[in-house]
Short mmCIF file of all heavy atoms in Angstrom, two decimals:
data_model
loop_
_atom_site.label_atom_id
_atom_site.label_comp_id
_atom_site.label_asym_id
_atom_site.label_seq_id
_atom_site.Cartn_x
_atom_site.Cartn_y
_atom_site.Cartn_z
N LEU A 864 115.52 -114.90 -6.64
CA LEU A 864 114.12 -114.83 -7.01
C LEU A 864 113.18 -114.78 -5.82
O LEU A 864 112.24 -114.00 -5.75
CB LEU A 864 113.76 -116.04 -7.91
CG LEU A 864 112.28 -116.22 -8.25
CD1 LEU A 864 111.77 -115.01 -9.02
CD2 LEU A 864 112.07 -117.50 -9.03
N ASP A 911 122.54 -124.80 3.91
CA ASP A 911 123.35 -125.84 3.32
C ASP A 911 122.51 -126.88 2.59
O ASP A 911 122.88 -127.42 1.55
CB ASP A 911 124.19 -126.58 4.37
CG ASP A 911 125.26 -125.64 4.96
OD1 ASP A 911 125.58 -124.64 4.28
OD2 ASP A 911 125.80 -125.94 6.03
N LEU A 954 121.12 -93.17 -28.92
CA LEU A 954 120.88 -94.16 -29.91
C LEU A 954 122.17 -94.68 -30.47
O LEU A 954 122.33 -95.89 -30.72
CB LEU A 954 120.03 -93.51 -31.04
CG LEU A 954 119.49 -94.46 -32.10
CD1 LEU A 954 118.52 -95.46 -31.54
CD2 LEU A 954 118.83 -93.70 -33.27
N GLN A 963 129.37 -104.28 -31.12
CA GLN A 963 130.37 -105.04 -30.40
C GLN A 963 129.89 -106.46 -30.12
O GLN A 963 130.63 -107.45 -30.28
CB GLN A 963 130.71 -104.40 -29.03
CG GLN A 963 131.59 -103.14 -29.11
CD GLN A 963 131.94 -102.70 -27.70
OE1 GLN A 963 131.11 -102.08 -27.00
NE2 GLN A 963 133.14 -102.99 -27.28
N GLY A 1056 129.05 -108.02 -50.69
CA GLY A 1056 129.60 -106.66 -50.94
C GLY A 1056 128.58 -105.70 -51.48
O GLY A 1056 128.89 -104.53 -51.68
N VAL A 1079 101.53 -120.56 -46.05
CA VAL A 1079 102.90 -121.00 -45.92
C VAL A 1079 103.35 -121.74 -47.17
O VAL A 1079 104.42 -121.55 -47.75
CB VAL A 1079 103.16 -121.88 -44.69
CG1 VAL A 1079 104.42 -122.70 -44.78
CG2 VAL A 1079 103.16 -121.02 -43.45
N LEU A 1106 107.93 -126.77 -41.94
CA LEU A 1106 109.05 -125.88 -42.16
C LEU A 1106 110.35 -126.48 -41.75
O LEU A 1106 111.43 -126.31 -42.37
CB LEU A 1106 108.85 -124.56 -41.43
CG LEU A 1106 107.70 -123.70 -42.05
CD1 LEU A 1106 107.39 -122.49 -41.14
CD2 LEU A 1106 108.04 -123.22 -43.41
N LEU A 1154 99.59 -113.83 -1.34
CA LEU A 1154 98.33 -114.13 -0.74
C LEU A 1154 98.49 -115.23 0.29
O LEU A 1154 97.64 -116.06 0.50
CB LEU A 1154 97.31 -114.52 -1.82
CG LEU A 1154 97.05 -113.53 -2.96
CD1 LEU A 1154 95.95 -114.04 -3.91
CD2 LEU A 1154 96.62 -112.15 -2.41
N LEU A 1158 95.72 -118.62 1.83
CA LEU A 1158 95.84 -119.92 1.26
C LEU A 1158 95.02 -120.97 1.96
O LEU A 1158 94.95 -120.93 3.20
CB LEU A 1158 97.30 -120.37 1.18
CG LEU A 1158 98.24 -119.41 0.46
CD1 LEU A 1158 99.67 -119.98 0.45
CD2 LEU A 1158 97.80 -119.07 -0.95
N LEU A 1177 97.15 -125.49 -18.93
CA LEU A 1177 97.86 -126.69 -18.48
C LEU A 1177 99.15 -126.37 -17.74
O LEU A 1177 99.54 -127.05 -16.80
CB LEU A 1177 98.18 -127.57 -19.68
CG LEU A 1177 96.96 -128.10 -20.44
CD1 LEU A 1177 97.36 -128.90 -21.70
CD2 LEU A 1177 96.09 -128.97 -19.51
N THR A 1211 79.66 -117.54 -14.52
CA THR A 1211 80.06 -118.77 -13.87
C THR A 1211 81.31 -118.55 -13.02
O THR A 1211 81.37 -119.06 -11.92
CB THR A 1211 80.38 -119.88 -14.92
OG1 THR A 1211 79.18 -120.14 -15.70
CG2 THR A 1211 80.84 -121.15 -14.31
N ALA A 1215 81.98 -118.57 -8.58
CA ALA A 1215 82.98 -119.34 -7.88
C ALA A 1215 83.58 -118.56 -6.72
O ALA A 1215 84.32 -119.09 -5.93
CB ALA A 1215 84.09 -119.78 -8.83
N PHE A 1253 94.78 -110.81 -13.05
CA PHE A 1253 95.92 -110.87 -14.01
C PHE A 1253 95.43 -110.86 -15.44
O PHE A 1253 94.52 -111.62 -15.80
CB PHE A 1253 96.76 -112.13 -13.77
CG PHE A 1253 97.68 -112.05 -12.61
CD1 PHE A 1253 97.26 -112.48 -11.35
CD2 PHE A 1253 98.96 -111.59 -12.75
CE1 PHE A 1253 98.11 -112.45 -10.26
CE2 PHE A 1253 99.83 -111.54 -11.68
CZ PHE A 1253 99.37 -111.98 -10.43
N ASP A 1270 87.93 -97.48 -16.28
CA ASP A 1270 88.34 -97.64 -14.88
C ASP A 1270 88.41 -99.10 -14.43
O ASP A 1270 89.12 -99.41 -13.48
CB ASP A 1270 87.32 -96.94 -13.92
CG ASP A 1270 87.40 -95.39 -14.01
OD1 ASP A 1270 88.44 -94.87 -14.57
OD2 ASP A 1270 86.50 -94.74 -13.59
N PHE A 1344 122.38 -118.33 -41.13
CA PHE A 1344 121.36 -117.56 -40.44
C PHE A 1344 120.91 -118.35 -39.16
O PHE A 1344 120.79 -117.75 -38.08
CB PHE A 1344 120.18 -117.29 -41.34
CG PHE A 1344 119.07 -116.49 -40.72
CD1 PHE A 1344 119.34 -115.30 -40.02
CD2 PHE A 1344 117.74 -116.87 -40.90
CE1 PHE A 1344 118.30 -114.58 -39.46
CE2 PHE A 1344 116.71 -116.13 -40.33
CZ PHE A 1344 117.01 -114.98 -39.60
N LEU A 1357 114.30 -102.55 -26.03
CA LEU A 1357 112.86 -102.53 -25.63
C LEU A 1357 112.62 -103.50 -24.44
O LEU A 1357 111.46 -103.70 -24.06
CB LEU A 1357 111.98 -102.85 -26.84
CG LEU A 1357 111.94 -101.83 -27.89
CD1 LEU A 1357 111.05 -102.26 -29.07
CD2 LEU A 1357 111.46 -100.47 -27.40
N TYR A 1373 115.50 -120.55 -25.27
CA TYR A 1373 114.51 -119.49 -25.03
C TYR A 1373 115.25 -118.12 -25.03
O TYR A 1373 116.13 -117.91 -24.19
CB TYR A 1373 113.77 -119.66 -23.73
CG TYR A 1373 112.91 -120.92 -23.77
CD1 TYR A 1373 113.37 -122.13 -23.31
CD2 TYR A 1373 111.60 -120.83 -24.25
CE1 TYR A 1373 112.56 -123.31 -23.35
CE2 TYR A 1373 110.78 -122.00 -24.29
CZ TYR A 1373 111.28 -123.22 -23.82
OH TYR A 1373 110.48 -124.32 -23.89
N PHE A 1374 114.87 -117.20 -25.92
CA PHE A 1374 115.56 -115.94 -26.11
C PHE A 1374 115.38 -115.02 -24.91
O PHE A 1374 116.34 -114.40 -24.42
CB PHE A 1374 115.08 -115.30 -27.38
CG PHE A 1374 115.91 -114.17 -27.89
CD1 PHE A 1374 117.26 -114.36 -28.18
CD2 PHE A 1374 115.42 -112.90 -28.05
CE1 PHE A 1374 118.04 -113.36 -28.70
CE2 PHE A 1374 116.21 -111.87 -28.54
CZ PHE A 1374 117.53 -112.09 -28.81
#
Side-chain angles (χ1 to χ4, degrees):
L864 171 62
D911 292 340
L954 189 64
Q963 285 185 283
V1079 163
L1106 290 173
L1154 303 183
L1158 303 183
L1177 297 177
T1211 299
F1253 282 91
D1270 289 345
F1344 182 47
L1357 293 179
Y1373 294 92
F1374 194 59

